[in-house]
Amino acid sequence: MKRIYSCLTYVAILALLFTSCSKDENSSLIDEPANAKSVDLSFGAVLNDLANRAMSKSHFDQVPDCSEELPVTAVLEISYNNQTVGPIVVDVLKDQDGFFTDYSELLKIPVPNNGSTTVTLESFMVYDGNDIDAQNPYGNLIWIAPKESQVGQFDGYVDKALPFDFQVTDGSKPYIDVEVLCFDRRMVNEYGYVFFNILPEKIYPFCTFVNYCDENGRHYVADYAVDLYFGTDTNGIQLYDHNDQNAMANTGDYGEGNYYADPLCLVVPGPPANLADDLPYLYLVIYPIDWAGTGDIDDTPVPVALSWNMVRDLLNDDGTTNEYLHLLIGECEDALEGDGTIGGGNGCNPSSAEADCDDDQIPNKCDEDNANYAGFDCDGDDIPNGQEATGCVNNSSPDCGIDPPLACNLSIDDASQGCLRGVTPGSDAVDYADNGDFLMITADMDGDPIPLFEDTGIGYGPTAGNFTPSVSNGELTFNIVPNQGFVVTDMLIEVMDEVDGDVYCVDSEPSVPGTYTYPIYVRVKTNICEI
């Protein structure tokens, strides 16, 4: 593979980083009026329980993970008198009332004599002081006060999102509560901040080379442009735009139809700290472009999910060069499809059920690592993997994972000498062929006596008594009355509230546990003896 030198691309991304911060910053005290007095500010970080608030929001399917580290440093920005002060770096202290910021000269606010000053808190972030280096001068970001933003969603889970104003009056000692949320890099765009302002990460080279293939499998050099997002879809933070020159492939013709393209080289951030290396964190969208090297082709955008493993594996040991990721688009069998779901990146189509995109000897349809796994049908039973019961993905039985109906755990002894077995008929037709089946009882039969026939073993004998059921407010009660001169010595009453459903049973009067509505299904066995 080619080695790609990326110095110019690093310059491009650094320019992007510097231009992403456009407002003036001033880390010195604002000039104070001659008659002004100073009032010291202190901020308290109140950690908000987002998990509880998120339970009432239907669009939230996850909440930020929280670090167990304690806060050490706060970095904030304030403005007053039409000027901005910050970033202000201040220690975080703790007493019996909670965490608060230490004294700082930059938090002394000039206030007119007997007057007040309006101060705006613009940003507020809290760090743990661990793993400090040039990229992370304050350690790891653990808490953050969300900003009100159309991009950020977390602002709705605090009572007062940033920025907010407060009044500082002469002679006061303000203590300002600031609601903060746990910071989770997977959801970096939910807090309302500009991505590069809160994640000053080391960047890495990443290069692609794209071929187009036709329906016959012939390969051509592709012309294309890309979008790149930090995230798993187009809702992430956009790092490159396919309309910009630095996101377009450089193609040409050496003559006589000998077309070429240079690898397209970008720079990308590393992955979120709490995301597995094999999970996607970048979302690349390829926009095919018609040109002489391919002619008129399908220009449907092609999405590709990129994990840190895929980026890291392209880096060379010298730290300045990298290999390129070879992708295949077009109309041949192995090409990535324009309407495919996220995944792949190795020329394999992740939406092809029988393919094996990660070469682990497991077809995509049965591979839990495949992005389309939940929608595939591994065992061919017409039940998508995502809807299969636990342990049934590779079991084609339609009954896999379905618990059998509850059975009655009671029994009745055989009728003793001189006694008979009295039973309800298996159907209202009193057909002995249905003996042993449940009898359906409908609402119009409520309170009506049902005959108990003698079960002779080869047919029904004369009636030996009656069984009378009744359902009221969901409760099933019953009574059994034998013929005159006889007594019931044993009974077993079995009830279902649906055909082939759970069976509830009792061996004594006067009710059966459960809640019932008609129709119900009843089977009664009794031992009836002469007095």
Side-chain angles (χ1 to χ4, degrees):
M1 293 185 182
K2 291 186 179 180
R3 291 175 173 240
I4 311 302
Y5 290 82
S6 306
C7 296
L8 291 178
T9 2
Y10 275 99
V11 172
I13 195 68
L14 288 172
L16 172 63
L17 296 177
F18 282 116
T19 56
S20 69
C21 302
S22 59
K23 63 183 176 182
D24 295 332
E25 293 187 353
N26 181 3
S27 295
S28 63
L29 285 172
I30 297 174
D31 292 336
E32 302 182 13
N35 65 340
K37 299 181 179 180
S38 293
V39 172
D40 297 336
L41 287 181
S42 184
F43 294 93
V46 181
L47 186 60
N48 188 297
D49 186 1
L50 177 62
N52 287 338
R53 294 194 177 204
M55 289 174 63
S56 63
K57 303 291 183 177
S58 60
H59 70 269
F60 261 87
D61 57 359
Q62 57 181 336
V63 295
D65 286 340
C66 292
S67 168
E68 295 181 356
E69 299 298 323
L70 293 176
V72 172
T73 303
V75 180
L76 59 114
E77 186 177 69
I78 60 175
S79 61
Y80 55 92
N81 295 339
N82 297 317
Q83 299 184 68
T84 299
V85 180
I88 301 171
V89 181
V90 61
D91 291 340
V92 176
L93 306 179
K94 184 182 181 181
D95 62 13
Q96 67 276 9
D97 295 321
F99 296 103
F100 61 96
T101 57
D102 198 2
Y103 171 84
S104 170
E105 285 289 328
L106 295 178
L107 291 178
K108 294 179 68 174
I109 307 300
V111 178
N113 190 27
N114 296 321
S116 65
T117 297
T118 300
V119 181
T120 302
L121 180 60
E122 304 285 354
S123 66
F124 192 90
M125 306 177 198
V126 180
Y127 297 81
D128 65 5
N130 296 328
D131 306 319
I132 293 177
D133 55 28
Q135 297 293 329
N136 300 285
Y138 315 116
N140 302 305
L141 178 58
I142 57 172
W143 299 347
I144 188 168
K147 287 188 177 183
E148 188 173 28
S149 169
Q150 291 181 347
V151 176
Q153 295 184 6
F154 286 160
D155 59 302
Y157 293 87
V158 294
D159 293 327
K160 188 183 291 186
L162 303 187
F164 65 77
D165 299 336
F166 55 92
Q167 294 294 317
V168 178
T169 57
D170 181 17
S172 65
K173 177 66 176 177
Y175 181 92
I176 311 301
D177 279 339
V178 181
E179 289 183 280
V180 293
L181 304 177
C182 296
F183 178 69
D184 190 328
R185 296 187 180 200
R186 297 172 302 169
M187 292 169 271
V188 63
N189 59 322
E190 308 287 348
Y191 298 90
Y193 289 72
V194 177
F195 167 74
F196 284 116
N197 284 351
I198 62 175
L199 287 183
E201 288 287 344
K202 181 179 179 180
I203 53 179
Y204 302 87
F206 174 76
C207 301
T208 63
F209 187 88
V210 179
N211 278 130
Y212 169 81
C213 63
D214 62 19
E215 64 273 13
N216 298 315
R218 182 182 293 275
H219 288 205
Y220 303 86
V221 175
D223 191 9
Y224 61 98
V226 300
D227 285 342
L228 183 64
Y229 299 86
F230 184 89
T232 56
D233 55 32
T234 56
N235 293 318
I237 302 298
Q238 187 164 11
L239 307 180
Y240 287 86
D241 188 318
H242 70 279
N243 294 304
D244 295 336
Q245 190 66 39
N246 64 350
M248 299 179 182
N250 179 40
T251 58
D253 184 4
Y254 289 125
E256 299 181 355
N258 188 12
Y259 300 104
Y260 71 91
D262 295 327
L264 174 60
C265 289
L266 316 170
V267 287
V268 300
N274 52 0
L275 188 70
D277 290 350
D278 60 349
L279 294 179
Y281 80 103
L282 295 173
Y283 185 79
L284 181 73
V285 182
I286 302 170
Y287 294 84
I289 299 173
D290 296 340
W291 76 302
T294 56
D296 186 9
I297 62 174
D298 182 2
D299 59 358
T300 302
V302 179
V304 182
L306 301 172
S307 68
W308 173 236
N309 280 345
M310 298 169 68
V311 174
R312 181 183 56 196
D313 290 350
L314 299 172
L315 300 175
N316 293 318
D317 293 337
D318 59 15
T320 61
T321 63
N322 68 298
E323 310 297 338
Y324 56 74
L325 181 64
H326 194 173
L327 301 172
L328 185 64
I329 63 174
E331 302 174 56
C332 60
E333 181 178 354
D334 294 329
L336 294 169
E337 294 183 359
D339 58 353
T341 15
I342 302 171
N346 59 357
C348 179
N349 182 1
S351 62
S352 173
E354 301 300 331
D356 178 13
C357 284
D358 55 6
D359 296 321
D360 61 357
Q361 309 305 311
I362 302 174
N364 289 343
K365 67 179 182 180
C366 299
D367 192 343
E368 294 183 6
D369 295 330
N370 186 278
N372 305 300
Y373 174 79
F376 284 139
D377 178 14
C378 177
D379 53 17
D381 60 359
D382 295 327
I383 302 174
N385 296 341
Q387 299 177 22
E388 291 270 25
T390 302
C392 294
V393 168
N394 289 300
N395 188 327
S396 60
S397 170
D399 296 326
C400 180
I402 299 176
D403 293 330
L406 292 176
C408 177
N409 59 353
L410 302 175
S411 61
I412 185 171
D413 294 333
D414 292 337
S416 58
Q417 186 70 28
C419 299
L420 58 88
R421 172 63 54 84
V423 299
T424 50
S427 72
D428 57 7
V430 196
D431 181 355
Y432 192 79
D434 294 325
N435 183 38
D437 285 349
F438 283 79
L439 173 65
M440 183 175 72
I441 301 175
T442 56
D444 59 348
M445 300 168 63
D446 186 85
D448 291 344
I450 297 169
L452 294 172
F453 292 98
E454 179 185 355
D455 182 1
T456 66
I458 57 173
Y460 288 134
T463 60
N466 294 306
F467 166 80
T468 304
S470 180
V471 174
S472 177
N473 297 321
E475 182 182 13
L476 171 60
T477 58
F478 66 91
N479 71 314
I480 297 176
V481 178
N483 289 346
Q484 188 173 0
F486 289 82
V487 64
V488 175
T489 60
D490 302 287
M491 66 177 67
L492 178 63
I493 293 84
E494 299 173 276
V495 181
M496 298 187 301
D497 55 8
E498 62 180 356
V499 175
D500 297 326
D502 294 335
V503 177
Y504 303 93
C505 58
V506 294
D507 56 7
S508 61
E509 295 181 294
S511 64
V512 180
T515 302
Y516 300 92
T517 57
Y518 287 115
I520 59 174
Y521 303 84
V522 175
R523 180 168 59 191
V524 178
K525 299 177 183 177
T526 60
N527 289 336
I528 299 176
C529 303
E530 188 174 5
I531 297 176

